[in-house]
Amino acid sequence: MNASVNDPRAPKTVDAVVVGAGFGGMYMLHNLRKHGFTAQVFEAGSDVGGTWYWNRYPGARVDIESMQYSYSFSEELDQEWEWSEKYAPQPEIMEYARHVADRFDLRKGIQFNTRVTKAHFDEKAKRWTVETDQGDKISAQFCIMAVGCLSAANKPPFAGMEDFQGPIYHTGEWPHEGVDFTGKRVAVIGTGSSGIQSIPLIAQEADQLYVFQRTPNYTVPAWNSPVDPEWEAEVKADYPAMRAKARARPTGFYFDFNTTPALQASEEERRKTYEEYWERGGLPFLGAFGDLLFNKEANDTIAEFAREKIRAVVNDKATADLLCPENIFGCKRLCVDTGYFETFNRPNVKLVDISKTGVERITQKGVVGNGEEFAVDAIVCATGFAAMTGSFDKIDIQGRDGLSLKTAWEAGPRTYLGLATVGFPNFFMITGPGSPSVLAQMIQSIEQHADWIVDCMAHMRDVDAETLEPTLEAQDAWVDHVNEVSKISLRSTCSSWYVGANIPGRPRVFMPYIGGFPIYVQKCNEVQTNGYEGFVIEGGEARNAEPTVRETERWRVPLDVDVISPAMLASGQVPLV
Ligand code: FAD
Ligand code: NAP
């Protein structure tokens, strides 16, 4: 292994290059150092935080309770950090990321304002050469992608965009100095989570707001509030217990849920339960019954309840009708809002239905949709991301025999466990496609991956191995399993970014693993215990021998009743949000 040291300028050789300094890259760096590996992180932004660095639009906040959406690797960190709100806003999450960077002295391992452009595997040297837009060229045994699942903004090329005389913003690349919409006429295009969070706040500031909606979305009120000090004290009295409970859930975060099938309840009982879960708010609303994402008839009942809530809030009947989704509830990522539907009762807000026409064009003065031109001073694209693979696509990645990752993934990403891919030795992904990633609390997903990766690297060092790469057989079997499991859920049936359908021309493949976080973790543990089963390890001796378990020890929670078994999954008794 290489012994060169980090310095503020990238060194020429390291054990590992890490691409990205969001929560994934930050924790990976911490782990690598802890186990004596030299590492260099490159980050395109000027600070840590990833998602929370880029998405500074008004109203950006987490949709999983902050007491859970946070790192779990340090008990001290858990104890000392205080969240102000149940769902922390973006500035506070950024503050947390900065705090972690300083507390664990991460900054000096990260080169900011630097985009990785190229990563090529050199067969002879068995090393990666990584290049950046700042002229760095660095050699590393391992290349670790922590580029994020939702980090490549989707900017649809609307006709006439270049003619528009005002500014055009994307929620995922929001100006750091903020935007003042006071006195302005504004168009927001897109009604996914980013649109739904920002629209109520933009409406409060702007003179006039036009919301261009292609597809209406379901959203549940967050009922956000300051963190209840009693609840905080209770969690902090035994934080590891809360973390363990979270890890035992398919979603990687803890909430009360009901496994009874919706159709077993009488209509009256169902309504009562929905009301109760609605009052809790947020993503756990989907935990009202066990079969909501598996049985269309059951789903129809929650969808109708949600539509009734919209009609009860929105005064104008025609607008309410347009806001009511007809598709499967929770099929796309469920949104969590504060005052979204109420916003359409404001006199300065107009919903523009572009379901039939799309955005027809952008003119000098505004946006044309549904046959009408709407004059505006600014446009906000809340049009989402090239999810899961978008940031990989932007880098020229070449593995063995000059194989490019783009070619290898032309028909959709293929990975073993979302951690590695055939033809790309010593190449790891944090929350890669084929892992639970966006279907779980993502910081849990990140930590579990970074722990598994560092244990794998340490094992390779133990046995003096040079390269590790999945076998085609293991990868094919995993991809088949990911596809198979996805069919159990209604989620595979609609056109969402989970399947790449939000961007024309992308292959339609269900990218995240929907089998649940605990089952996935168990599989990763087994692969490790069985000497990295499904991987070929070259060089060294006793290559696939039983490895020492280091960081992954904490993920070896026994399966208990809280954990969802494959049988439960197959019977459709699992609430997955
Ligand atoms: P990111 O945070 O995306 O970080 C990746 C980093 O890699 C970025 O900083 C990027 O600049 C950098 N990068 C990419 N390519 C390159 C390159 N070529 N060279 C150098 N640097 C590069 N998840 C939840 O679990 N709960 C939530 O409530 C939640 N809310 C979200 C809200 C928004 C608005 C978005 C967009 C996502 C949300 N997510 C949420 C998902 C969120 O992305 C993850 O929770 C988590 O922050 C991902 O961390 P990461 O480090 O894996 O990726
Ligand atoms: P998104 O869910 O993909 O929503 C994009 C919106 O833009 C959709 O309404 C889409 O319409 C519309 N759109 C896309 N292309 C369009 C086009 N060419 N013309 C017109 N409309 C177009 O993106 P997002 O809202 O940024 O959210 C992405 C994910 O990030 C979320 O699902 C979530 O995982 C995460 N996120 C979480 C939070 C949170 O609450 N913590 C906040 C923001 C984001 P169609 O539906 O018709 O495609």
mmCIF file of all heavy atoms in Angstrom, residues 112-128:
data_model
loop_
_atom_site.group_PDB
_atom_site.id
_atom_site.type_symbol
_atom_site.label_atom_id
_atom_site.label_comp_id
_atom_site.label_asym_id
_atom_site.label_seq_id
_atom_site.Cartn_x
_atom_site.Cartn_y
_atom_site.Cartn_z
ATOM 1 N N PHE A 112 -11.281 21.337 -2.751
ATOM 2 C CA PHE A 112 -12.562 21.884 -3.205
ATOM 3 C C PHE A 112 -12.426 22.537 -4.588
ATOM 4 O O PHE A 112 -11.327 22.682 -5.111
ATOM 5 C CB PHE A 112 -13.072 22.914 -2.180
ATOM 6 C CG PHE A 112 -13.439 22.272 -0.858
ATOM 7 C CD1 PHE A 112 -12.617 22.419 0.261
ATOM 8 C CD2 PHE A 112 -14.593 21.517 -0.738
ATOM 9 C CE1 PHE A 112 -12.948 21.821 1.477
ATOM 10 C CE2 PHE A 112 -14.935 20.920 0.475
ATOM 11 C CZ PHE A 112 -14.107 21.079 1.579
ATOM 12 N N ASN A 113 -13.546 22.952 -5.122
ATOM 13 C CA ASN A 113 -13.591 23.630 -6.426
ATOM 14 C C ASN A 113 -12.883 22.824 -7.505
ATOM 15 O O ASN A 113 -12.250 23.384 -8.401
ATOM 16 C CB ASN A 113 -12.963 25.030 -6.329
ATOM 17 C CG ASN A 113 -13.676 25.887 -5.306
ATOM 18 O OD1 ASN A 113 -14.889 26.046 -5.369
ATOM 19 N ND2 ASN A 113 -12.924 26.404 -4.334
ATOM 20 N N THR A 114 -12.957 21.528 -7.385
ATOM 21 C CA THR A 114 -12.220 20.658 -8.299
ATOM 22 C C THR A 114 -13.128 19.535 -8.765
ATOM 23 O O THR A 114 -13.614 18.746 -7.954
ATOM 24 C CB THR A 114 -10.989 20.054 -7.584
ATOM 25 O OG1 THR A 114 -10.208 21.128 -7.049
ATOM 26 C CG2 THR A 114 -10.141 19.237 -8.545
ATOM 27 N N ARG A 115 -13.348 19.483 -10.055
ATOM 28 C CA ARG A 115 -14.227 18.441 -10.616
ATOM 29 C C ARG A 115 -13.388 17.336 -11.236
ATOM 30 O O ARG A 115 -12.485 17.606 -12.035
ATOM 31 C CB ARG A 115 -15.146 19.067 -11.667
ATOM 32 C CG ARG A 115 -16.192 18.131 -12.198
ATOM 33 C CD ARG A 115 -17.242 18.856 -13.034
ATOM 34 N NE ARG A 115 -18.231 19.538 -12.203
ATOM 35 C CZ ARG A 115 -19.256 18.944 -11.589
ATOM 36 N NH1 ARG A 115 -19.417 17.631 -11.703
ATOM 37 N NH2 ARG A 115 -20.107 19.634 -10.863
ATOM 38 N N VAL A 116 -13.655 16.114 -10.860
ATOM 39 C CA VAL A 116 -12.976 14.972 -11.479
ATOM 40 C C VAL A 116 -13.565 14.779 -12.868
ATOM 41 O O VAL A 116 -14.789 14.727 -13.040
ATOM 42 C CB VAL A 116 -13.141 13.701 -10.614
ATOM 43 C CG1 VAL A 116 -12.707 12.452 -11.385
ATOM 44 C CG2 VAL A 116 -12.336 13.842 -9.332
ATOM 45 N N THR A 117 -12.684 14.721 -13.852
ATOM 46 C CA THR A 117 -13.146 14.613 -15.240
ATOM 47 C C THR A 117 -12.895 13.227 -15.818
ATOM 48 O O THR A 117 -13.576 12.801 -16.751
ATOM 49 C CB THR A 117 -12.425 15.652 -16.113
ATOM 50 O OG1 THR A 117 -11.010 15.528 -15.875
ATOM 51 C CG2 THR A 117 -12.877 17.058 -15.793
ATOM 52 N N LYS A 118 -11.890 12.547 -15.288
ATOM 53 C CA LYS A 118 -11.447 11.300 -15.894
ATOM 54 C C LYS A 118 -10.949 10.348 -14.824
ATOM 55 O O LYS A 118 -10.278 10.767 -13.879
ATOM 56 C CB LYS A 118 -10.246 11.673 -16.763
ATOM 57 C CG LYS A 118 -10.078 10.862 -18.019
ATOM 58 C CD LYS A 118 -8.747 11.274 -18.654
ATOM 59 C CE LYS A 118 -8.863 11.436 -20.127
ATOM 60 N NZ LYS A 118 -7.563 11.629 -20.767
ATOM 61 N N ALA A 119 -11.240 9.059 -14.976
ATOM 62 C CA ALA A 119 -10.656 8.038 -14.097
ATOM 63 C C ALA A 119 -10.430 6.809 -14.962
ATOM 64 O O ALA A 119 -11.394 6.197 -15.439
ATOM 65 C CB ALA A 119 -11.599 7.737 -12.938
ATOM 66 N N HIS A 120 -9.164 6.493 -15.209
ATOM 67 C CA HIS A 120 -8.833 5.347 -16.069
ATOM 68 C C HIS A 120 -8.051 4.317 -15.277
ATOM 69 O O HIS A 120 -7.136 4.671 -14.522
ATOM 70 C CB HIS A 120 -7.996 5.800 -17.277
ATOM 71 C CG HIS A 120 -8.793 6.544 -18.307
ATOM 72 N ND1 HIS A 120 -8.313 6.843 -19.552
ATOM 73 C CD2 HIS A 120 -10.049 7.045 -18.274
ATOM 74 C CE1 HIS A 120 -9.240 7.489 -20.245
ATOM 75 N NE2 HIS A 120 -10.297 7.647 -19.478
ATOM 76 N N PHE A 121 -8.377 3.046 -15.497
ATOM 77 C CA PHE A 121 -7.651 1.969 -14.828
ATOM 78 C C PHE A 121 -6.492 1.523 -15.712
ATOM 79 O O PHE A 121 -6.676 1.212 -16.891
ATOM 80 C CB PHE A 121 -8.593 0.782 -14.560
ATOM 81 C CG PHE A 121 -7.940 -0.318 -13.780
ATOM 82 C CD1 PHE A 121 -7.580 -0.124 -12.454
ATOM 83 C CD2 PHE A 121 -7.668 -1.544 -14.362
ATOM 84 C CE1 PHE A 121 -6.966 -1.137 -11.716
ATOM 85 C CE2 PHE A 121 -7.058 -2.565 -13.641
ATOM 86 C CZ PHE A 121 -6.706 -2.359 -12.312
ATOM 87 N N ASP A 122 -5.315 1.504 -15.121
ATOM 88 C CA ASP A 122 -4.118 1.083 -15.842
ATOM 89 C C ASP A 122 -3.871 -0.393 -15.505
ATOM 90 O O ASP A 122 -3.519 -0.735 -14.378
ATOM 91 C CB ASP A 122 -2.946 1.979 -15.382
ATOM 92 C CG ASP A 122 -1.622 1.571 -16.011
ATOM 93 O OD1 ASP A 122 -1.513 0.437 -16.514
ATOM 94 O OD2 ASP A 122 -0.696 2.402 -15.976
ATOM 95 N N GLU A 123 -4.074 -1.234 -16.494
ATOM 96 C CA GLU A 123 -4.001 -2.694 -16.271
ATOM 97 C C GLU A 123 -2.642 -3.134 -15.752
ATOM 98 O O GLU A 123 -2.549 -4.014 -14.893
ATOM 99 C CB GLU A 123 -4.267 -3.430 -17.584
ATOM 100 C CG GLU A 123 -5.645 -3.194 -18.123
ATOM 101 C CD GLU A 123 -6.505 -4.451 -18.040
ATOM 102 O OE1 GLU A 123 -6.209 -5.370 -17.253
ATOM 103 O OE2 GLU A 123 -7.473 -4.496 -18.767
ATOM 104 N N LYS A 124 -1.578 -2.524 -16.321
ATOM 105 C CA LYS A 124 -0.229 -2.968 -15.946
ATOM 106 C C LYS A 124 0.085 -2.579 -14.509
ATOM 107 O O LYS A 124 0.516 -3.394 -13.700
ATOM 108 C CB LYS A 124 0.796 -2.289 -16.875
ATOM 109 C CG LYS A 124 1.130 -3.142 -18.081
ATOM 110 C CD LYS A 124 2.514 -2.757 -18.597
ATOM 111 C CE LYS A 124 2.628 -3.197 -20.059
ATOM 112 N NZ LYS A 124 2.811 -2.063 -20.952
ATOM 113 N N ALA A 125 -0.172 -1.334 -14.205
ATOM 114 C CA ALA A 125 0.155 -0.834 -12.863
ATOM 115 C C ALA A 125 -0.895 -1.283 -11.839
ATOM 116 O O ALA A 125 -0.663 -1.206 -10.644
ATOM 117 C CB ALA A 125 0.243 0.685 -12.898
ATOM 118 N N LYS A 126 -2.040 -1.701 -12.320
ATOM 119 C CA LYS A 126 -3.188 -2.064 -11.477
ATOM 120 C C LYS A 126 -3.575 -0.891 -10.566
ATOM 121 O O LYS A 126 -3.811 -1.041 -9.371
ATOM 122 C CB LYS A 126 -2.896 -3.323 -10.656
ATOM 123 C CG LYS A 126 -2.565 -4.521 -11.545
ATOM 124 C CD LYS A 126 -2.710 -5.817 -10.811
ATOM 125 C CE LYS A 126 -2.246 -7.015 -11.613
ATOM 126 N NZ LYS A 126 -2.727 -7.077 -12.991
ATOM 127 N N ARG A 127 -3.595 0.253 -11.172
ATOM 128 C CA ARG A 127 -3.945 1.457 -10.417
ATOM 129 C C ARG A 127 -4.824 2.362 -11.276
ATOM 130 O O ARG A 127 -4.837 2.255 -12.496
ATOM 131 C CB ARG A 127 -2.668 2.236 -10.024
ATOM 132 C CG ARG A 127 -1.790 1.490 -9.052
ATOM 133 C CD ARG A 127 -0.547 2.309 -8.732
ATOM 134 N NE ARG A 127 -0.836 3.481 -7.908
ATOM 135 C CZ ARG A 127 -0.995 3.454 -6.595
ATOM 136 N NH1 ARG A 127 -0.899 2.324 -5.925
ATOM 137 N NH2 ARG A 127 -1.236 4.566 -5.916
ATOM 138 N N TRP A 128 -5.522 3.237 -10.597
ATOM 139 C CA TRP A 128 -6.361 4.224 -11.273
ATOM 140 C C TRP A 128 -5.586 5.528 -11.451
ATOM 141 O O TRP A 128 -4.850 5.942 -10.546
ATOM 142 C CB TRP A 128 -7.616 4.502 -10.441
ATOM 143 C CG TRP A 128 -8.609 3.389 -10.521
ATOM 144 C CD1 TRP A 128 -8.675 2.295 -9.707
ATOM 145 C CD2 TRP A 128 -9.641 3.244 -11.489
ATOM 146 N NE1 TRP A 128 -9.697 1.469 -10.110
ATOM 147 C CE2 TRP A 128 -10.311 2.027 -11.206
ATOM 148 C CE3 TRP A 128 -10.080 4.003 -12.578
ATOM 149 C CZ2 TRP A 128 -11.387 1.572 -11.957
ATOM 150 C CZ3 TRP A 128 -11.156 3.557 -13.327
ATOM 151 C CH2 TRP A 128 -11.797 2.353 -13.024
#
